[in-house]
Every structure is written in C-alpha cells, then in structure tokens.
Amino acid sequence: MTESKERRHVINFSPGPAKLPDEVLLQAQKDFLNYAGTGVSVMELSHRSPEFEKILKTAETDLRALLSIPANYKVLFLQGGGNGQFSAVPFNLMNLKPSQTADYIVTGTWSANAATEAQKYGKVNYVLPKTKTYTNIPDLSEWKLSPDASYVYYCDNETIHGVEFQFIPETHGVPLVCDMSSNILTRKFDVSKFGLIFAGAQKNIGCAGCTVVIIREDLIGQALPSTPSVFCYTTQSANNSLFNTPPTYSIYIMGLVFSWKLEHGGVEGMEENSRKKSDLIYDVMDNSSGFFVGPINKNCRSRTNVTFRIGSREGCDVLEKKFLDMASKCGMKELKGHRSVGGIRASLYNAVTAEETKVLADFMKDFFQTHRN
C-alpha cells in the first residue's frame, strides 16, 4: 500500500522504458504469482501452452483492431529492439530490387543509426543533406529519392531531438518502412500506405523486451541469403513469432496495454489526449518571451517528446540544472534531455495523463516567473 501511494506522487516523464498505466500494473501484479488459475506466474508460462497462445492471439487481435490492420499484413512479436530492426529491415528488404539500394530519410539520431547499419548490407541513399543538427524536416523539394530503391525508410518520431513527421512521405510505389517506436498508437494513420512498420514496446506500448513488426505479406520471402534465422521475417512469420522462445512477459504486458487503450477511446482517444498534453507544454514555451526555447521548427515538433532549453543566454546550464533539481523534488522524474543534446525533455506517452502534464506546465510557469530576470 505504501508503494502505491508513493507512485501516485511521482510523475514519470521517462523516454523509455516509460510509464505504464496504473491499471495495467495492477492487473500484472494480480497475475504475477498465479496467472488465470494456472498456479504459476505469468512469467513462468510455457510459450507453447494454451494460456500463452491465448495471450499472443489476443494481443494481435487487439492491435489489429486499434490500427485497423488490413488482412494482408502479418503481425510479428520479435526481440532485439529497434537496433535489431535496423539490421532486420535491410536483411529482409534490401534484395527487393537488383540495385540493392535503400533510401533513408534521416531526421535524427535513430534514423541516422539505422542508415549506418543498413550500409553493411547494401547501398544507402541519403534522401536529405547530411547534418549534425536535427531541428526540422526539409521541404520536399530538397528530397532526393532513388527511382530504383528497394524501400524508403524513415523514423516517424525522433525521441532524442523531438522531431515528428506530420505527414506520411509519398514514395510512388516504393515500399515505405517506418520506425514508430515512440509514437505508435498516439494518432490514427493508414497502415496500407506502409510496407513495414516496427515499434519497440518500451516507449509507448509496453515494457522492454519486445518489438512489434507489421509487414505486408508480399514483402516476405525475399531476404538476403545471409539473413540470420532469428531476423528472418519469413521464418518468424511461418512460426507465428514462435521460432525461438519469444519475450513472453513483454507480450503479456503489451496485451494489457492494448486492452487498456481500447477501453479508453482507442487510438482516437489517445490522439486527442496527445494533442492536449503537448499543447499544454508548447503553450507555456511559446508564451515565455524566449525563456523556454524549443529548438525544433513548429511544423515538426513532437507531441510525444517535447524538447527545450532554458534561454540562450550565458548561464542557461545552471538554470536547467536548477529546473531539473526542483522538478525532481516536486515528484517529476526523468526530465533531463538526452546526453547527446542536453537540455530538457518531457516524454508524453499515452500513459502520462493530461493532469500530470498540467503539473509540469504549471511548474514551468512558476519557474519562469521566478527566474526570468
């Protein structure tokens, strides 16, 4: 009971592993020692048992319902995280065209890392000019897509820099691959516009350990001969994600999260809350007379990872440290920006409520009033 009370006084803005809904954690706690009357922990269930088979099937069914996934798409529950998919994608798709070339739209650290990894397995065409700073998505007139690309890759939301696409890139028939790890299920989109979507669970759909892959069936079966079996979509699909022992507990938690989202308005409800939450923080930033500075262009600011600095004047690092220390004492955790860019970052995933976000917004207003001179 004490731990539950303490949890309610902590607001977790972590970029991942991230906050989970209280209802999900309470259900997991209930199932932990004795799942569904089996007499064993949910962590101990055999992946071949009928109980886990039901967990797996229900998770897929609910995800299909949430995203309206067409019947000609496979849903896979895999291991290796986003970094694993940085390899798995070129392993499986680079061979779709004889050129073995892939287009990479790099708008942040994660898409840059994905492009670097893909270069091991084929030729990578950088669609955008290379840069060391990521603050915007260049106009389409600056894009250089390859006519013979096997696929086009991008990251829908860059968690480190806070850059988010507000549109789905047009690829003129070339399969579109997207990393949606940090914003999947936060807004509606048309799955049929993509060849492949993947998302690590630990940011917005569950706990660490599982990566969801949604892939159009016609893209399965053309992997490079050197593809490891565990990364081969053909093998994993043929075995219903059970080629090797899957991350059973992570899949179980994801299933609970999918169910929670269905009960709370589905993707439409999550999208409305996502807009409300990000607006709360951006409104404070935009009305702070430059005290809170958002480095990202307004047309591509992330709803799920809001990044900002405190001014551009000398001594801003001191103010940022004071901001983080004071926020922590008020129960707001994990607001420090990524070590590669510094500053402050508030991750507003679906489990973070509008009420919790307002606490941060009000704290920012108070901090501004006290320290603006």
Side-chain angles (χ1 to χ4, degrees):
M1 184 64 70
T2 302
E3 291 180 357
S4 297
K5 288 182 178 179
E6 288 178 354
R7 175 177 170 80
R8 285 197 295 269
H9 286 90
V10 170
I11 304 176
N12 184 3
F13 291 107
S14 172
K19 181 187 177 184
L20 289 165
D22 284 353
E23 296 96 319
V24 167
L25 292 176
L26 288 170
Q27 184 62 50
Q29 182 185 53
K30 180 181 177 182
D31 291 341
F32 195 78
L33 293 178
N34 182 3
Y35 177 73
T38 60
V40 299
S41 169
V42 69
M43 294 189 77
E44 300 170 319
L45 285 174
S46 167
H47 63 294
R48 303 291 182 184
S49 67
E51 290 81 12
F52 181 74
E53 181 180 355
K54 183 178 180 180
I55 289 173
L56 185 65
K57 184 177 180 179
T58 301
E60 178 178 343
T61 298
D62 286 351
L63 180 60
R64 286 185 177 276
L66 284 163
L67 292 178
S68 300
I69 299 174
N72 65 324
Y73 282 73
K74 292 287 188 181
V75 176
L76 306 176
F77 297 94
L78 307 178
Q79 292 163 300
N83 281 288
Q85 292 308 306
F86 294 169
S87 298
V89 167
F91 266 134
N92 285 273
L93 304 185
M94 192 68 82
N95 209 28
L96 292 177
K97 293 281 187 69
S99 65
Q100 294 191 346
T101 297
D103 285 348
Y104 275 71
I105 305 169
V106 176
T107 55
T109 297
W110 297 117
S111 50
N113 289 352
T116 298
E117 184 66 18
Q119 288 176 329
K120 299 176 183 178
Y121 315 109
K123 181 181 177 182
V124 167
N125 170 55
Y126 284 81
V127 175
L128 304 177
K130 290 187 178 182
T131 179
K132 292 183 179 180
T133 60
Y134 302 102
T135 58
N136 73 323
I137 298 174
D139 186 80
L140 294 174
S141 62
E142 298 182 42
W143 293 27
K144 295 181 179 180
L145 295 166
S146 304
D148 59 347
S150 293
Y151 62 90
V152 178
Y153 180 105
Y154 78 110
C155 178
D156 203 36
N157 183 79
E158 290 280 359
T159 60
I160 291 176
H161 296 87
V163 174
E164 183 178 30
F165 277 77
Q166 306 304 323
F167 62 95
I168 298 175
E170 174 56 57
T171 61
H172 307 290
V174 177
L176 183 60
V177 175
C178 187
D179 174 359
M180 289 192 184
S181 293
S182 53
N183 67 348
I184 194 168
L185 295 177
T186 65
R187 64 182 177 189
K188 294 182 66 177
F189 66 93
D190 185 353
V191 173
S192 69
K193 292 184 178 295
F194 296 85
L196 185 149
I197 298 163
F198 72 84
Q202 71 277 8
K203 296 181 181 297
N204 205 43
I205 56 175
C207 65
C210 186
T211 305
V212 173
V213 173
I214 303 167
I215 181 171
R216 205 172 66 216
E217 289 180 344
D218 65 292
L219 300 180
I220 298 174
Q222 302 179 64
L224 294 171
S226 59
T227 303
S229 297
V230 73
F231 281 160
C232 181
Y233 298 144
T234 307
T235 301
Q236 291 287 5
S237 177
N239 287 275
N240 192 32
S241 303
L242 299 175
F243 168 71
N244 58 312
T245 303
T248 56
Y249 194 74
S250 183
I251 293 170
Y252 158 77
I253 293 292
M254 272 200 302
L256 294 182
V257 173
F258 295 156
S259 177
W260 175 83
K261 292 184 179 185
L262 285 169
E263 293 171 0
H264 288 79
V267 175
E268 293 85 353
M270 300 298 117
E271 183 171 11
E272 181 180 356
N273 282 334
S274 181
R275 178 186 54 78
K276 287 179 180 178
K277 291 182 293 187
S278 59
D279 282 352
L280 281 168
I281 305 303
Y282 284 126
D283 284 348
V284 175
M285 291 169 54
D286 294 340
N287 290 285
S288 69
S289 302
F291 183 82
F292 295 114
V293 180
I296 309 303
N297 285 9
K298 289 186 177 181
N299 65 353
C300 59
R301 294 196 299 197
S302 172
R303 296 163 302 115
T304 56
N305 303 99
V306 180
T307 58
F308 59 93
R309 304 299 302 255
I310 297 182
S312 56
R313 65 184 71 82
E314 185 178 351
C316 67
D317 288 344
V318 174
L319 275 180
E320 287 175 354
K321 184 179 186 306
K322 189 172 185 179
F323 179 97
L324 293 168
D325 289 344
M326 290 178 64
S328 180
K329 290 177 181 178
C330 293
M332 290 174 280
K333 306 294 185 181
E334 303 295 338
L335 284 167
K336 186 176 182 179
H338 191 271
R339 60 187 178 278
S340 65
V341 295
I344 298 164
R345 170 175 57 175
S347 294
L348 309 176
Y349 300 134
N350 286 337
V352 177
T353 67
E355 291 76 15
E356 290 174 325
T357 307
K358 188 176 184 303
V359 172
L360 174 59
D362 289 343
F363 173 80
M364 291 173 66
K365 292 176 185 177
D366 291 342
F367 192 88
F368 164 60
Q369 293 296 333
T370 305
H371 297 90
R372 60 179 171 174
N373 294 322

